[in-house]
Amino acid sequence: MIKVSNISHFYGDEQVLYDISLEIKEDELVFLSGDSGSGKSTLLSILSTLLKPSSGELLIDDSTLDDVENLDKFRQENIGFVFQFHYLINYLNVYENIALAALDDKKKNINSLLENLGILELSSRYPNEISGGQRQRVALARALINEPKIIFADEPTGSLDSKNSKIVYELLSLAVKNGTTVVVASHDMQIQDHATQTIRMIDGKI
């Protein structure tokens, strides 16, 4: 699924990742843990194709990014993103926020996905009319709508209480059972109970 070989990364003169190699298999829930500044968010950005490493190689399904003709299309068809802040569009309702991200042939699945996530009754509401936990479930629906191979989540429960954090992790675990690989970078150790692999980052190294 994902293979990283000897990846290092610099921001200017500052090195933040040192010769990282790892492998993530299909249907795994991988937990990237580490303190602030450990390099986990940078590594997640590289794994998710949002950042090109300074050196080393990233393979997704045995292909390098140089093999991908249209990276934006590749992301839309294969990758879902969930962040600490939901980045929903306030003037669009829940249904419209998800429809905006959906491929044309996936829009018919929006209501059934909302029902599976327990938020179908929120479809006509706007982000400022629902709770933080509900907004994050909408963000998860947006990430899932195109049935991606991989979901990358960066501190997805950072602004949630423990109850809503547990719900998000249970939903991510369900996505794994349904065939999606999930990679989560987080300070929240709750996710360790759901993870199939934990990668601990310290000072840019595993």
Side-chain angles (χ1 to χ4, degrees):
M1 170 61 79
I2 301 174
K3 188 174 182 180
V4 166
S5 301
N6 308 114
I7 277 183
S8 295
H9 194 70
F10 292 80
Y11 291 117
D13 294 330
E14 181 185 2
Q15 187 168 4
V16 293
L17 294 180
Y18 296 82
D19 200 32
I20 300 287
S21 295
L22 59 88
E23 190 168 348
I24 296 170
K25 297 176 182 178
E26 290 185 3
D27 304 338
E28 279 202 288
L29 198 165
V30 177
F31 174 30
L32 290 179
S33 71
D35 296 332
S36 294
S38 63
K40 65 183 185 298
S41 289
T42 297
L43 179 57
L44 190 79
S45 294
I46 290 170
L47 293 174
S48 63
T49 76
L50 295 177
L51 180 66
K52 186 174 182 179
S54 301
S55 63
E57 184 177 60
L58 168 67
L59 291 174
I60 299 179
D61 285 342
D62 297 322
S63 297
T64 70
L65 296 188
D66 291 336
D67 299 327
V68 177
E69 291 184 9
N70 186 327
L71 190 53
D72 288 336
K73 183 180 180 183
F74 175 83
R75 290 185 187 122
Q76 189 177 26
E77 293 177 347
N78 295 281
I79 297 174
F81 296 95
V82 183
F83 302 99
Q84 177 176 355
F85 303 105
H86 47 78
Y87 297 116
L88 300 177
I89 298 172
N90 287 325
Y91 60 81
L92 298 179
N93 65 30
V94 164
Y95 183 97
E96 292 165 340
N97 264 281
I98 299 167
L100 188 65
L103 296 166
D104 288 341
D105 64 333
K106 302 297 184 184
K107 290 180 181 179
K108 62 183 184 295
N109 300 327
I110 293 174
N111 283 336
S112 61
L113 177 58
L114 290 174
E115 186 172 15
N116 290 340
L117 295 177
I119 52 173
L120 179 59
E121 72 279 4
L122 305 179
S123 63
S124 62
R125 296 191 192 177
Y126 290 84
N128 64 353
E129 297 176 332
I130 59 178
S131 70
Q134 290 168 334
R135 286 193 290 268
Q136 196 62 307
R137 273 190 265 181
V138 175
L140 183 55
R142 182 180 57 191
L144 287 167
I145 188 57
N146 292 327
E147 300 178 323
K149 292 181 180 179
I150 317 164
I151 287 179
F152 293 97
D154 193 3
E155 298 288 358
T157 61
S159 57
L160 303 180
D161 59 25
S162 59
K163 179 182 176 181
N164 280 299
S165 295
K166 183 180 179 182
I167 291 170
V168 168
Y169 290 141
E170 287 173 349
L171 292 170
L172 289 171
S173 296
L174 181 61
V176 172
K177 289 178 182 176
N178 290 333
T180 300
T181 299
V182 176
V183 184
V184 180
S186 181
H187 290 94
D188 186 355
M189 297 305 292
Q190 271 195 80
I191 194 174
Q192 201 160 18
D193 297 334
H194 304 275
T196 58
Q197 181 184 176
T198 297
I199 297 171
R200 173 75 173 168
M201 299 288 296
I202 299 175
D203 298 331
K205 302 174 183 178
I206 294 176

